[in-house]
Amino acid sequence: MPLTVRDIIENNFFPGTELITGRESAGNIISWVNVQEILDSVDMVGSGELLITTGFDLADYTRYFNLIKRLKAKGVVGLMVQTGYYVDSIPVYILESARKYKFPVLELPASFSFSEVLKTLISEINRESVIGNQSYLDFNYFYPKLKKKLGESLERGIGSDNIIAVLAVSAVNVYNEVGPDIEEAFENIKSLAVISCDTYIGHYEKDVQMTFCLGFENATKLRDLMDEIQVLLIRLSNKIGLNLFATADTVEDNNLENCIKHCMEALQTLHSIRAIRGTCMYEHMTFLKKLYSIYRTNTLYSKENKVLRLLIDKDRESDSDYIKTVRFFLEENGNVTRAAKRLFVHRHTLINRMDAIKDITGFNFDDYYERLDLSLALMLNDYFD
């Protein structure tokens, strides 16, 4: 979706920024960004642009009394004023005029440099422009093929208790070029899918995209597969620099078309939050956007978590499964029996492994806040680090 004024607030691009007026017009699409520290070239601002200023001399009513009216007439989509330098707050007359014309006015904290603001917004505009022109999943190619495969499987009789799901995979940093790395990655993902599902319906590949249609006995097995893929994606990213997205959704009422479109939306969400890799269930898209807001506020969160860093290093050195163990234990809310079942190990084996993790890191599995802190660090590492 194109970048809008509302997206700046909802995605928390610049924490502390407020939309003061013009919520009715916050859906305005931003085509470009124009920066003017001194508002002496207002007539040069173009339609669809967001105007950003430090508000120098903005308190001069006689000079700028018709500023909002002029911007509105030019087709400008909003005004972002950075307070703290030349004005402590946006002048009342500006806000009154903006309310009259239902014109969006945002207040930007002084803690952000214009360079940072420009880099972020222009990157988002370019990113959304690409997303608008590419589906990140060739629907017209995949849908007919999967529909045929699913139809054949339904005729043969998939158990009524099965959950049918679509899994879509797309390369992040490979464009229209299929090489040995992507082929090996797809083969690894295919192997995971075949082993994890109860009914392998079929899959198709095109360039750097791949889709599966799979049957699962229950939702837990689909979640397990997505966790296994997440581990694989991190390994691929770290070892060969290949970054992939994987998304999934369940087929409801045999509506395969809707399911594939949901996977496309989830892929777009991963792109829009600037993830470098990762998995996303359609139902978790809203949460991932909130996770991105946390990441923007503190990009060092996962890097500063000593427990996570120690476990990552230990897994890398000894090819252990400590991160996977912690991931499943945390996902099961500390339930050892359920986590052990998902890990295919005996309960006592898992307890011994957790004791080893405690010896390495000092982590207290019984402390809710320690578990919460590690869970958040692990998620941020999955997508951004």
Side-chain angles (χ1 to χ4, degrees), residues 302-303 305-318 320 322-323 357-363:
S302 68
K303 292 183 176 68
N305 189 290
K306 294 180 179 179
V307 173
L308 179 62
R309 293 298 118 191
L310 285 169
L311 294 179
I312 288 175
D313 290 342
K314 195 67 177 178
D315 279 354
R316 187 179 293 120
E317 293 168 4
S318 59
S320 52
Y322 289 135
I323 289 292
I357 291 172
K358 187 174 182 179
D359 290 340
I360 295 168
T361 65
F363 183 73

Side-chain angles (χ1 to χ4, degrees), residues 350-370:
L350 176 56
I351 292 174
N352 291 335
R353 199 179 291 178
M354 290 163 60
D355 286 340
I357 291 172
K358 187 174 182 179
D359 290 340
I360 295 168
T361 65
F363 183 73
N364 184 1
F365 285 98
D366 296 325
D367 189 294
Y368 167 76
Y369 291 99
E370 286 197 35

